[in-house]
Amino acid sequence: QGSFDVLDVPLHECYERCKMWAECYAFEYSQVQREFKCELHKEWISHVMPVYGIVCFAKILPKGHAMRLRISPSPPQPPSRPPPPSKPPPPSPPPPPRLP
């Protein structure tokens, strides 16, 4: 959402373009095979949704410090396969015979 430009560039170039462009406040990046998607956001971002394969960075401008970028929380990992079913426990032995 918001106002952003989309570029087809690798991550390091996306990072550098946002870092050097005063109008870039954050960027979102993803790659599918050889297709790159770099969104340079022209507005402050209000939130980040964790999505597998997408990373988000936002500029931090503390007083008296040079601009730096911070990565959003790591995206969740893809769902793992469920573990194979475990073997049922062996049957219990029969009770001992009763004496008369």
Side-chain angles (χ1 to χ4, degrees), residues 15-54:
Y15 175 93
E16 287 300 322
R17 287 194 184 199
C18 186
K19 182 178 172 184
M20 302 308 291
W21 187 32
E23 292 181 40
C24 180
Y25 291 94
F27 73 89
E28 177 180 306
Y29 181 83
S30 63
Q31 179 180 352
V32 176
Q33 295 179 359
R34 294 183 183 218
E35 288 188 36
F36 309 112
K37 183 178 178 187
C38 169
E39 291 183 4
L40 300 177
H41 288 261
K42 300 177 198 176
E43 301 170 356
W44 287 109
I45 56 174
S46 61
H47 63 281
V48 178
M49 297 289 295
V51 177
Y52 177 74
I54 298 177

